[in-house]
Amino acid sequence: MWRSATQAFVLLHRSMSMSTALPPSPIPLLTSVASYRQWRQKAFDERKSVGFVPTMGALHDGHLSLVQKSLAENDLTVLSIFVNPAQFAPHEDLATYPRTLPRDLELLTAQQESLCRYFFRRSKTCIHQALARIFRHRRDAFVEMKGYGHQMEGASRPTFFRGVATVVTKLFNAVQPTNAYFGQKDIQQALLLRRLCKDLLFPHPEADHVHIVPTTRNPNDGLALSSRNAYLSVNERKFAPTLFKALQYAESAWSNGESKDRCVSGAVAVIDKVKTQAALDGVEVRLDYIEMNDSETFDVLDASSNTQLAGDIPVILSGALWVGKTRLIDNIVVGDLNRV
Ligand code: AMP
């Protein structure tokens, strides 16, 4: 069992009862953090690298692209599935967030038949107990990124990044990965976690072992894959790629030397146009925000900034769009993310 070159491990969400019917899989079960630690110690002793892909489940090709990268770059791969209550505000979609564990397991098994080996379920000693406590009482040890969590997504979701940073810190402490993989789809999250590792001197993973993997998109219309796309009706789905189209407009205006203000107002105009068409089709399209930010500070660029004034620091064009009751996010980065 230990001899295989590459192995994967799946960490379950606390609400998945032990009786959840799961498909047959070659992935054996680990039942506690203690047994994980044993497994991890063995990897340390054998000098095997461990790649880690934290997820909230409802897996799709975007998640799998992270898994593939981890499998390619590490001896062992760990994937966690945890719908993190601490990152949802009370009015958000925690209760309805898609939970598709049997299918997730099938997907992992199918793509890495001989590679997936470990499957970890919750136990009383498991990390999930502590996370549940945070959600119920809103008091515990929290990790907060001062000055970095209130812009972009943080402006619309004020407690989101505290929830993410806290849970990912716990996961990093439990899993102790050599490398961790995050999607560009959630660019602010990925950069913020890289900074967390840097500022707090995390050994596992070190900041430069926090990797950002490009966004996987629908090849036909560019819509970023997301677990939340499952909420969209057929009619709503038609208008979902609007945000990416608006961001592409802004990207092209930016590379033509337009000011940040003109890039953003042009992108908003793209959305306004679709909004009118969608309304005729009975679909409500509503912009939350669209903005251009410095990738180091997350500060909004000056209105008159342009590609020359911005210099070498990568620029993040990002936005959030409501299509019906579904909130979609997306971004384009201009510049090299490895510089951040
Ligand atoms: P989630 O399960 O939505 O919390 O996502 C888990 C990880 O998968 C995060 O690092 C996301 O950024 C990443 N991810 C989600 N969607 C995509 C996508 N379309 N392409 C690449 N990575 C993604």
Side-chain angles (χ1 to χ4, degrees), residues 302-335:
D302 291 341
S304 58
S305 182
N306 63 25
T307 185
Q308 273 170 1
L309 295 172
D312 282 350
I313 302 296
V315 168
I316 303 172
L317 289 92
S318 70
L321 184 74
W322 288 93
V323 179
K325 291 193 164 53
T326 307
R327 185 172 181 277
L328 304 172
I329 61 169
D330 203 348
N331 69 82
I332 292 175
V333 176
V334 185

Side-chain angles (χ1 to χ4, degrees), residues 244-281:
F244 184 50
K245 292 201 166 79
L247 293 171
Q248 282 180 308
Y249 176 92
E251 180 191 25
S252 131
W254 181 254
S255 59
N256 286 337
E258 297 278 10
S259 69
K260 175 252 167 177
D261 240 14
R262 286 182 69 91
C263 295
V264 171
S265 60
V268 171
V270 170
I271 288 173
D272 282 346
K273 198 167 159 203
V274 174
K275 192 171 167 171
T276 311
Q277 293 160 0
L280 295 173
D281 228 344

Side-chain angles (χ1 to χ4, degrees), residues 54-57 60 62-63 65-66 97 181-186 189 213-216 224-227:
T55 79
M56 297 208 300
H60 50 66
H63 297 116
S65 72
L66 272 58
Y97 195 86
Y181 297 85
F182 294 92
Q184 188 193 318
K185 163 84 178 7
D186 301 278
Q189 164 178 286
V213 181
T215 303
T216 303
L225 301 193
S226 162
S227 306

